[in-house]
Amino acid sequence: MPTSKLFQLLLLLIFTAITLLSFQQEKQNLSLQNNDLLESYINKISEQENWQGEGKALYALMKPQVDFQFFQYIDSNDSNNNYTHGSLGSAPTSLLTSLFASNIAETHVLAAGRLQVKLSNKTLLKQTTSQFQLQLLIIWASFFIISLSYTMLTLRQKSNQRYIAAKIEDLGNLSFDAIKLSRLKSDYRIIATALEQSQKTLKSKINQLEQDNEQLSKTAFQDPITGFGTRARFTEKLNEICQPNQDEVGHLFIIKATELGTINQMVGREGGDDYLARIANELRTAFKSMSQAQFYRISTADFAVVLPNCNIKQSAQIASHIKTGFNEYQQHIGTASIAHIGLVPYSQQNDAVSLMTLADTAVSIAQTLGPNSYHIQEKLTGDELFGESRWKVAINELIRRKAVKFFVQPIRPCRNDVESYRELLSRFYNSEGKLFPTTTVIAMAERHGMSEEIDKLIVLNAIHTLMQSSSITGLIGINISAASATKKPFVSWLKNVLVQQRHVAARLVFEVNESGMQSNLSATYHFINQVHSVGARVSIERFGLGFTSFKFFKEVRPDFIKLDHSYTQGISSDPQNRFFVKMIIDIARKLAIRVIATGVENQEDKLIMEQMLIDGLQGFYIAKPTPLLLEGKNQHSA
């Protein structure tokens, strides 16, 4: 309810209460006067208690002294002496009179009879009603004056409020007309001053924003890491080159940075940004003689280059130069590859969707050809999933040839009672011995429902490697997918394999991603129980990204948890991370679970983690992944 209406209602209730109090007071005064009148009559009739005679004579005697409304004398011996005058009831002369109506009646026994009377109080009643009428006039005249004054004040305030509201709306419409201070007086002067100041401040900020917007418009479509155009710019260019009436022809390069996820995980996002910037520099170098080339970063790990007015031979030479640059960079950082290149021609016959499908197919095929390879796809074969279908063939082939080799990255224990632990990192290669991008192999295996076959290949090769070489000692970690670990047929197969090789099983630690395990706690619990039953162990990696992490590891009880690298990197400057990690360490220690920090990249983070009494450390600062050697021979030749 609005304040004005609430006040009017409250005012009405107050004055109604005053009216009722006044009425009660007048009625009480009248009652006292009636009692006095009755007492006076009783004193007078008491003087006639020995009366014997006619009732009419008694009435005549008392009438000058008492005003009777009703008089009735009944003689006990002679009915001829009975006398009745007046009536018991009388009609009220007004509504107010009826409110104050009262009954002054009395019965008195005399010597020869009984006298019943009802006294008249017309004079008192008239005085009381007149007094009450005057009080009503004063009370409700006061109410009207106060209510009218408040209404006028409210209307004036509403007028000021409407004026202020209009000025605020003007601010929203970026209108800065001067405020008429003459309209806003008294308390509203403060608001008027504030509005004036707001106008000045807002106008100043708008001017600054316009300048900033002008500056931002120059860089809004430029990727900050590479300096290339953004996806929005690429979309505009793609629509432009696919217009039916355009006569431009050229080639579209799509470059997929396949190692970004691995580098982010191993050396952090800063290392990933350096990796992307280096790819951008290699592209600029390769296209330096082609001033018309236009560069774009179209997603997190994908680049595009539009090269107009260029034949296929020139484009192929540029792709070869890019591959050479990537090969040199790969040798420097030691990854499995750097990026893969898809090359397709475009002309006025293309539409955007078909052109990008063709380019995606080219990149997919390039990924199957080995590290940093490129592939030219001039037209579709009729099957738009050609690239992915080729991946299915490639994965089947590498499974058939058992084409997996291992790199190893140690985990350094921080205390004497923590057992040494090394992680095997799987790398896959084609028939020519060239490495596939690991992330793509895993993704394509999951897409084609081949994760279990890949995981079986990794497990069997790892066991075979450990049995073949006595020089490999200590615990060995093997990565398997959560999709396999939560499937009972795979778990049964894994248990059967480990039962046959119990002496090797006792040295194995199966690493599984936390996010994939949390979706099915019962399957996770079953997997860990089966692995434990044959003496092997379980490590949950990327721990801390899920919302139910604490409940998760308290229920399933893995042997190790590996903190996601986001909790380790920059821990020296992030007290919240330190608090969270310390809490995990304390809880895990009570449950006899070892905690390992990953992504350790510098001395400062290492020292802090050691001070927090963590169990183990892993990262490029501790040790980089290196090829696993078998008794003096490289693994591939073995």
Side-chain angles (χ1 to χ4, degrees), residues 570-594:
I571 194 171
S572 58
S573 58
D574 192 336
Q576 292 183 348
N577 263 5
R578 290 199 296 274
F579 173 79
F580 181 80
V581 171
K582 181 61 177 173
M583 184 167 51
I584 290 177
I585 293 172
D586 292 342
I587 295 175
R589 185 145 300 151
K590 293 177 182 178
L591 299 173
I593 298 173
R594 302 298 189 186

Short mmCIF file of all heavy atoms in Angstrom, two decimals, residues 570-594:
data_model
loop_
_atom_site.label_atom_id
_atom_site.label_comp_id
_atom_site.label_asym_id
_atom_site.label_seq_id
_atom_site.Cartn_x
_atom_site.Cartn_y
_atom_site.Cartn_z
N GLY A 570 51.15 -21.23 -9.46
CA GLY A 570 50.83 -19.96 -8.82
C GLY A 570 50.36 -20.09 -7.40
O GLY A 570 49.79 -19.15 -6.84
N ILE A 571 50.59 -21.24 -6.77
CA ILE A 571 50.11 -21.45 -5.40
C ILE A 571 50.79 -20.49 -4.42
O ILE A 571 50.25 -20.16 -3.37
CB ILE A 571 50.32 -22.92 -4.97
CG1 ILE A 571 49.51 -23.21 -3.71
CG2 ILE A 571 51.81 -23.23 -4.77
CD1 ILE A 571 49.48 -24.67 -3.33
N SER A 572 51.96 -20.02 -4.78
CA SER A 572 52.68 -19.09 -3.90
C SER A 572 51.95 -17.76 -3.75
O SER A 572 52.12 -17.07 -2.74
CB SER A 572 54.10 -18.85 -4.44
OG SER A 572 54.04 -18.32 -5.76
N SER A 573 51.14 -17.39 -4.73
CA SER A 573 50.44 -16.10 -4.68
C SER A 573 48.94 -16.26 -4.50
O SER A 573 48.21 -15.27 -4.60
CB SER A 573 50.71 -15.32 -5.97
OG SER A 573 50.28 -16.06 -7.10
N ASP A 574 48.46 -17.47 -4.24
CA ASP A 574 47.02 -17.70 -4.12
C ASP A 574 46.71 -18.39 -2.80
O ASP A 574 46.81 -19.60 -2.68
CB ASP A 574 46.54 -18.57 -5.30
CG ASP A 574 45.02 -18.61 -5.39
OD1 ASP A 574 44.35 -18.39 -4.35
OD2 ASP A 574 44.50 -18.87 -6.49
N PRO A 575 46.32 -17.63 -1.76
CA PRO A 575 46.04 -18.24 -0.45
C PRO A 575 44.86 -19.20 -0.48
O PRO A 575 44.82 -20.15 0.29
CB PRO A 575 45.74 -17.02 0.44
CG PRO A 575 45.38 -15.92 -0.50
CD PRO A 575 46.16 -16.17 -1.75
N GLN A 576 43.90 -18.98 -1.37
CA GLN A 576 42.76 -19.89 -1.45
C GLN A 576 43.20 -21.27 -1.94
O GLN A 576 42.74 -22.30 -1.44
CB GLN A 576 41.67 -19.31 -2.36
CG GLN A 576 40.99 -18.07 -1.79
CD GLN A 576 39.89 -17.56 -2.70
OE1 GLN A 576 39.75 -17.97 -3.84
NE2 GLN A 576 39.10 -16.63 -2.18
N ASN A 577 44.08 -21.27 -2.94
CA ASN A 577 44.61 -22.55 -3.41
C ASN A 577 45.38 -23.27 -2.31
O ASN A 577 45.27 -24.48 -2.14
CB ASN A 577 45.53 -22.32 -4.62
CG ASN A 577 44.80 -22.56 -5.92
OD1 ASN A 577 43.60 -22.80 -5.94
ND2 ASN A 577 45.51 -22.49 -7.02
N ARG A 578 46.19 -22.52 -1.57
CA ARG A 578 46.96 -23.13 -0.47
C ARG A 578 46.03 -23.74 0.57
O ARG A 578 46.27 -24.85 1.07
CB ARG A 578 47.88 -22.09 0.18
CG ARG A 578 49.03 -21.66 -0.70
CD ARG A 578 50.14 -21.01 0.12
NE ARG A 578 49.70 -19.78 0.75
CZ ARG A 578 49.72 -18.59 0.17
NH1 ARG A 578 50.17 -18.46 -1.07
NH2 ARG A 578 49.30 -17.53 0.80
N PHE A 579 44.96 -23.02 0.90
CA PHE A 579 44.00 -23.53 1.89
C PHE A 579 43.35 -24.81 1.39
O PHE A 579 43.23 -25.80 2.12
CB PHE A 579 42.94 -22.47 2.17
CG PHE A 579 41.82 -22.96 3.06
CD1 PHE A 579 41.99 -23.03 4.44
CD2 PHE A 579 40.60 -23.35 2.52
CE1 PHE A 579 40.98 -23.49 5.25
CE2 PHE A 579 39.58 -23.81 3.33
CZ PHE A 579 39.77 -23.88 4.71
N PHE A 580 42.94 -24.82 0.12
CA PHE A 580 42.27 -25.99 -0.44
C PHE A 580 43.21 -27.18 -0.48
O PHE A 580 42.84 -28.30 -0.10
CB PHE A 580 41.75 -25.66 -1.85
CG PHE A 580 41.01 -26.78 -2.50
CD1 PHE A 580 39.69 -27.05 -2.19
CD2 PHE A 580 41.64 -27.58 -3.46
CE1 PHE A 580 39.01 -28.08 -2.79
CE2 PHE A 580 40.96 -28.61 -4.07
CZ PHE A 580 39.64 -28.86 -3.74
N VAL A 581 44.44 -26.96 -0.97
CA VAL A 581 45.39 -28.06 -1.07
C VAL A 581 45.73 -28.60 0.32
O VAL A 581 45.81 -29.83 0.52
CB VAL A 581 46.67 -27.58 -1.80
CG1 VAL A 581 47.76 -28.65 -1.73
CG2 VAL A 581 46.35 -27.26 -3.25
N LYS A 582 45.92 -27.72 1.29
CA LYS A 582 46.22 -28.17 2.64
C LYS A 582 45.09 -29.01 3.21
O LYS A 582 45.31 -30.04 3.88
CB LYS A 582 46.48 -26.95 3.55
CG LYS A 582 46.83 -27.29 4.99
CD LYS A 582 48.09 -28.12 5.10
CE LYS A 582 48.46 -28.39 6.54
NZ LYS A 582 49.59 -29.33 6.67
N MET A 583 43.86 -28.61 2.93
CA MET A 583 42.71 -29.36 3.41
C MET A 583 42.67 -30.75 2.78
O MET A 583 42.41 -31.75 3.47
CB MET A 583 41.42 -28.60 3.06
CG MET A 583 40.16 -29.23 3.59
SD MET A 583 38.74 -28.10 3.49
CE MET A 583 38.85 -27.58 1.78
N ILE A 584 42.97 -30.84 1.48
CA ILE A 584 43.00 -32.14 0.80
C ILE A 584 44.08 -33.03 1.42
O ILE A 584 43.86 -34.22 1.69
CB ILE A 584 43.24 -31.96 -0.70
CG1 ILE A 584 42.02 -31.33 -1.36
CG2 ILE A 584 43.54 -33.30 -1.37
CD1 ILE A 584 42.20 -31.06 -2.83
N ILE A 585 45.25 -32.45 1.64
CA ILE A 585 46.36 -33.23 2.20
C ILE A 585 46.00 -33.77 3.58
O ILE A 585 46.22 -34.95 3.89
CB ILE A 585 47.64 -32.37 2.27
CG1 ILE A 585 48.13 -32.03 0.85
CG2 ILE A 585 48.73 -33.08 3.05
CD1 ILE A 585 49.27 -31.03 0.82
N ASP A 586 45.39 -32.93 4.42
CA ASP A 586 45.04 -33.36 5.77
C ASP A 586 44.01 -34.48 5.76
O ASP A 586 44.14 -35.47 6.49
CB ASP A 586 44.50 -32.17 6.57
CG ASP A 586 45.57 -31.13 6.87
OD1 ASP A 586 46.76 -31.48 6.76
OD2 ASP A 586 45.23 -29.98 7.19
N ILE A 587 42.98 -34.32 4.93
CA ILE A 587 41.93 -35.35 4.88
C ILE A 587 42.49 -36.64 4.28
O ILE A 587 42.23 -37.74 4.78
CB ILE A 587 40.73 -34.84 4.06
CG1 ILE A 587 40.08 -33.66 4.78
CG2 ILE A 587 39.71 -35.95 3.86
CD1 ILE A 587 38.97 -33.01 4.01
N ALA A 588 43.26 -36.51 3.19
CA ALA A 588 43.81 -37.70 2.53
C ALA A 588 44.73 -38.47 3.47
O ALA A 588 44.75 -39.70 3.47
CB ALA A 588 44.55 -37.29 1.26
N ARG A 589 45.51 -37.76 4.28
CA ARG A 589 46.44 -38.45 5.18
C ARG A 589 45.68 -39.29 6.21
O ARG A 589 46.11 -40.39 6.56
CB ARG A 589 47.33 -37.41 5.87
CG ARG A 589 48.42 -38.02 6.74
CD ARG A 589 49.67 -37.19 6.70
NE ARG A 589 50.21 -37.07 5.35
CZ ARG A 589 50.91 -36.03 4.92
NH1 ARG A 589 51.16 -35.02 5.71
NH2 ARG A 589 51.36 -35.99 3.67
N LYS A 590 44.54 -38.80 6.66
CA LYS A 590 43.74 -39.57 7.62
C LYS A 590 43.18 -40.84 6.97
O LYS A 590 42.89 -41.81 7.66
CB LYS A 590 42.59 -38.71 8.15
CG LYS A 590 43.06 -37.54 9.01
CD LYS A 590 41.90 -36.68 9.44
CE LYS A 590 42.39 -35.49 10.26
NZ LYS A 590 41.27 -34.60 10.66
N LEU A 591 43.02 -40.79 5.65
CA LEU A 591 42.48 -41.94 4.93
C LEU A 591 43.59 -42.79 4.30
O LEU A 591 43.29 -43.72 3.54
CB LEU A 591 41.53 -41.46 3.83
CG LEU A 591 40.31 -40.67 4.30
CD1 LEU A 591 39.55 -40.11 3.12
CD2 LEU A 591 39.38 -41.56 5.13
N ALA A 592 44.85 -42.47 4.61
CA ALA A 592 46.01 -43.21 4.07
C ALA A 592 46.06 -43.13 2.55
O ALA A 592 46.42 -44.09 1.87
CB ALA A 592 45.98 -44.66 4.53
N ILE A 593 45.70 -41.97 2.01
CA ILE A 593 45.76 -41.73 0.56
C ILE A 593 46.91 -40.78 0.29
O ILE A 593 47.05 -39.74 0.96
CB ILE A 593 44.44 -41.14 0.04
CG1 ILE A 593 43.28 -42.10 0.27
CG2 ILE A 593 44.53 -40.79 -1.45
CD1 ILE A 593 41.91 -41.52 -0.04
N ARG A 594 47.76 -41.10 -0.71
CA ARG A 594 48.89 -40.25 -1.06
C ARG A 594 48.43 -39.13 -2.00
O ARG A 594 47.62 -39.36 -2.90
CB ARG A 594 49.98 -41.07 -1.75
CG ARG A 594 50.50 -42.24 -0.92
CD ARG A 594 51.15 -41.79 0.36
NE ARG A 594 51.84 -42.89 1.04
CZ ARG A 594 52.38 -42.78 2.23
NH1 ARG A 594 52.31 -41.62 2.87
NH2 ARG A 594 52.99 -43.81 2.79
#
